[in-house]
Amino acid sequence: MSACAQTPPVATSAPAPADPPAGMQYLYGSGEGAAISVQAWHALTAFVSDKMKTRPAESVVLADGASLTAPRFVPCGAKPYAAVFDVDETVMLNIGFEYHDARTGKGWSAADWDAWEKTGEGAVAAVPGAAEGVAKLRAMGVTVIFNTNRAAANADATARAINAAGLGEAVHGETLYLAGDDGQGSRKDGRRATIAAKYCVLALGGDQLGDFSDLFNVAGQAVAARRALTTGTSVSTLWGRGWFVLPNPVYGTALKGGYDDVFPMDKRWELPAGGGKN
């Protein structure tokens, strides 16, 4: 090497954060997060058991052409019973991937997620209460179906991960539906319609509003307007009565909004002059 040659710099990565983000601490580490999940699964299985005592006329899947303000539901007829669940952070915790995300701090990467889908089955766990809830539903004669936005190309790996988490077998096209199955991308209404055509769906479970209806995720919708759809429409009565939400403060469609979206002007507070002293 000549005297003027220089050794190329060694690439260095940013130091890992001292602690995981608060949302990850809550979802993957806290007793409170676990308790909420167990609570949801207890409520879900109790609801399904009660619903089966008198055969319902309607599924909890919205019918084609229905709206959130004027809902209509797929008829049950004599179809067998089913319960339909999202996978990630609804029945299965992606602990290994979120560890990778927390340690690298690089943010979302489609390539990293694809690699995780293909190879992460050894670093997953059941959501607290999910394995017991799924087993109880099956014992009641309810078919458990997974409807997830994992890629259809990774169907075998996803089925292995679900099984590795203690949630039993999932068969693509029968009890496992994936993004790419119907050409609708991440939208789930088409897959839900396919399932509801075969089954009387007694319960839906998910961690995002799109796990219940794509109508919650209209493009360009204001944060406050989307929130209002969950409490001020005719479908509001379904929460805990057919539609069951699991906590996920880590990622997804819920994590939107600036100060003006999250904190209404009439609900703001500033420390009084003098710190509130008399």
Side-chain angles (χ1 to χ4, degrees):
M1 181 179 292
S2 67
C4 63
Q6 296 181 353
T7 303
V10 177
T12 58
S13 58
D19 295 304
M24 292 186 190
Q25 290 177 325
Y26 186 89
L27 187 59
Y28 304 112
S30 78
E32 290 85 350
I36 291 175
S37 294
V38 171
Q39 177 177 267
W41 279 98
H42 281 165
L44 188 153
T45 54
F47 174 84
V48 170
S49 177
D50 187 63
K51 202 72 173 174
M52 291 175 70
K53 293 175 183 176
T54 304
R55 184 168 186 86
E58 296 178 326
S59 165
V60 295
V61 175
L62 289 172
D64 184 41
S67 69
L68 298 176
T69 55
R72 292 181 295 103
F73 299 91
V74 178
C76 276
K79 290 178 280 191
Y81 293 131
V84 181
F85 301 101
D86 173 53
V87 171
D88 301 307
E89 277 57 60
T90 295
V91 297
M92 186 171 74
L93 296 176
N94 293 287
I95 298 174
F97 181 83
E98 299 304 336
Y99 168 80
H100 161 77
D101 188 26
R103 294 292 290 177
T104 63
K106 63 190 288 189
W108 169 256
S109 164
D112 288 4
W113 179 259
D114 183 64
W116 165 251
E117 284 191 8
K118 292 173 178 174
T119 66
E121 64 191 76
V124 297
V127 165
E132 298 83 357
V134 164
K136 188 171 184 178
L137 290 170
R138 288 178 175 138
M140 286 190 268
V142 177
T143 298
V144 173
I145 299 175
F146 304 107
N147 184 12
T148 169
N149 280 332
R150 286 177 168 237
N154 298 332
D156 290 346
T158 291
R160 290 196 302 271
I162 290 170
N163 197 32
L167 299 162
E169 292 188 357
V171 179
H172 187 205
E174 296 180 15
T175 56
L176 176 61
Y177 289 79
L178 299 155
D181 282 346
D182 61 0
Q184 296 299 307
S186 63
R187 296 189 296 277
K188 291 186 172 182
D189 279 349
R191 284 175 259 156
R192 271 188 289 269
T194 297
I195 296 165
K198 302 175 184 177
Y199 292 93
C200 174
V201 179
L202 299 177
L204 296 173
D207 64 317
Q208 313 283 327
L209 293 183
D211 295 324
F212 306 95
S213 173
D214 292 333
L215 296 172
F216 286 111
N217 293 330
V218 176
Q221 188 171 219
V223 170
R226 184 173 183 269
R227 182 178 174 93
L229 288 174
T230 68
T231 59
T233 62
S234 298
V235 297
S236 302
T237 58
L238 287 167
W239 303 120
R241 296 171 181 163
W243 291 2
F244 295 84
V245 184
L246 279 294
N248 184 358
V250 177
Y251 64 83
T253 54
L255 306 184
K256 296 178 181 177
Y259 279 95
D260 289 344
D261 300 304
V262 177
F263 302 106
M265 291 297 296
D266 64 340
K267 296 295 187 290
R268 297 185 182 186
W269 178 84
E270 299 286 350
L271 183 69
K277 296 179 181 179
N278 293 328

